[in-house]
Amino acid sequence: MAAPVAGRGVLLDVAAVYGELPDGFAITEEHLTATARAHGVEVGRGDLVCVRTGQLARAKRDGWGDYAGGPAPGLSFWTAGWLHRTEIAAVATDTWGFEVRPNEFENAFQPLHQVVIPHLGLLVGEMWDLDALAADCAADGVHEFLLTAAPLPVTGAVGSPVNPLALK
């Protein structure tokens, strides 16, 4: 995919609603739904959803440690149904792998990736710095915005760095 990704962005700041999430914390459908309700926003078809866990802010504050490859808070495998039902176009988090680490299945590496990328066609963003956006959303109470994140046009690649921009 080389076309720019642009659309309605929605920030679900789970860390703001539930407090600092520890590594290994599995964000469930209930967490996502309650966070959207707390922010007064609905998530729906075509949305580009940013989920803030607070892990990147913690790494910047306390040191990088195992940030890139170690345990992390993230989406539970069981959020696959919610990701499908909401018909979102993309999901991005402030963690290195977007789903909870360690994974919820002993013999599977990144099982949520294995479902949502090939079977839902969901675009996945990782290691997004959502802290400034979260502060802005908290200040004005608006958790939706125009979001763009153009990938590099790399032939044959399965991933690309992006420089996401949220416009409010």
Side-chain angles (χ1 to χ4, degrees):
M1 164 171 192
V5 175
R8 177 180 182 254
V10 175
L11 175 68
L12 298 180
D13 191 350
V14 179
V17 173
Y18 289 94
E20 188 169 289
L21 305 180
D23 292 338
F25 183 92
I27 298 169
T28 65
E29 176 177 341
E30 290 75 21
H31 294 120
L32 296 171
T33 302
T35 299
R37 188 173 35 254
H39 294 333
V41 69
E42 291 189 29
V43 175
R45 187 174 198 189
D47 285 345
L48 312 171
V49 178
C50 300
V51 178
R52 183 176 173 275
T53 71
Q55 191 196 34
L56 181 61
R58 182 167 26 102
K60 289 190 286 187
R61 180 187 70 224
D62 298 340
W64 292 99
D66 289 335
Y67 174 79
L75 272 63
S76 167
F77 175 82
W78 305 107
T79 60
W82 183 87
L83 295 168
H84 179 260
R85 281 191 312 281
T86 55
E87 296 184 313
I88 64 173
V91 63
T93 69
D94 57 352
T95 66
W96 71 269
F98 119 85
E99 62 188 275
V100 64
R101 293 285 298 144
N103 294 132
E104 296 161 293
F105 301 102
E106 189 174 320
N107 296 319
F109 181 72
Q110 305 294 66
L112 189 55
H113 282 71
Q114 295 175 35
V115 172
V116 301
I117 295 171
H119 298 292
L120 300 184
L122 191 64
L123 299 175
V124 173
E126 299 162 339
M127 295 190 250
W128 284 28
D129 188 342
L130 301 172
D131 295 338
L133 177 61
D136 185 84
C137 291
D140 67 10
V142 177
H143 286 77
E144 57 187 337
F145 40 86
L146 173 63
L147 179 64
T148 182
L152 296 174
V154 181
T155 302
V158 295
S160 168
V162 297
N163 186 20
L165 296 173
L167 306 171
K168 290 180 73 179

